[in-house]
Amino acid sequence: MIVKSLEDIIGTEDETSGDNWTSRRFLMKKDNCGFSMNDTIIKAGTDNYFWYKNHIEAVYCIEGEGEIEEVENGKVHPLKPGTMYILDKNDKHHLRAKTQMRMVCVFNPPLVGTETHNEEGYYPLLTE
């Protein structure tokens, strides 16, 4: 059994940040669950371009409001607590936070834990 609290992660190597986001990594590849799970904060007023070409990501919004725009077709979806989306086709997207947003993010394949977005907006596929 694995049991962790947010307090166990904040301020450790399992907390990773970029300019517009902070990701607290609860589960990673080393946990051998077949997926990883993050508690992620997206800063208010930011427009973030992401493209997870190496991962499928499911996201559940638990705090804040914003929107996600599909780059391929320009379709915009509002995000608020209780909204889930999945990037099941490695979708390029813009994530815009009107207010600070808190998201639970699940990745497959699982993240190693040290990933950060590269200049093209995606995480490289790391193998520890």
Side-chain angles (χ1 to χ4, degrees):
M1 179 181 295
I2 299 170
V3 177
K4 295 181 184 179
S5 70
L6 191 56
E7 292 80 25
D8 297 332
I9 296 168
I10 292 175
T12 72
E13 64 184 13
D14 293 340
E15 182 178 47
T16 304
S17 294
D19 291 339
N20 298 338
W21 55 271
T22 299
S23 181
R24 290 81 64 99
R25 297 182 170 178
F26 274 85
L27 294 173
M28 294 172 280
K29 184 177 181 179
K30 68 183 178 185
D31 295 308
N32 295 313
C33 295
F35 61 91
S36 58
M37 187 182 82
N38 306 335
D39 179 320
T40 300
I41 300 294
I42 306 294
K43 292 180 182 177
T46 61
D47 184 338
N48 305 275
Y49 170 76
F50 298 128
W51 171 39
Y52 298 114
K53 77 174 193 175
N54 297 312
H55 300 86
I56 301 298
E57 182 192 27
V59 178
Y60 182 64
C61 179
I62 58 175
E63 291 178 10
E65 292 187 15
E67 63 186 24
I68 185 168
E69 178 182 352
E70 299 176 50
V71 169
E72 182 178 311
N73 60 25
K75 191 169 185 177
V76 176
H77 308 274
L79 300 175
K80 63 182 181 178
T83 305
M84 186 280 307
Y85 64 87
I86 185 166
L87 303 165
D88 59 334
K89 296 176 183 65
N90 306 101
D91 312 86
K92 294 178 180 181
H93 60 287
H94 283 273
L95 179 60
R96 298 183 186 99
K98 294 177 184 173
T99 63
Q100 178 174 288
M101 299 179 74
R102 185 170 177 206
M103 323 283 261
V104 175
C105 307
V106 176
F107 285 89
N108 189 9
L111 301 178
V112 169
T114 57
E115 292 88 349
T116 189
H117 299 94
N118 66 15
E119 64 281 348
E120 293 183 61
Y122 66 86
Y123 288 148
L125 190 58
L126 300 180
T127 58
E128 307 201 64

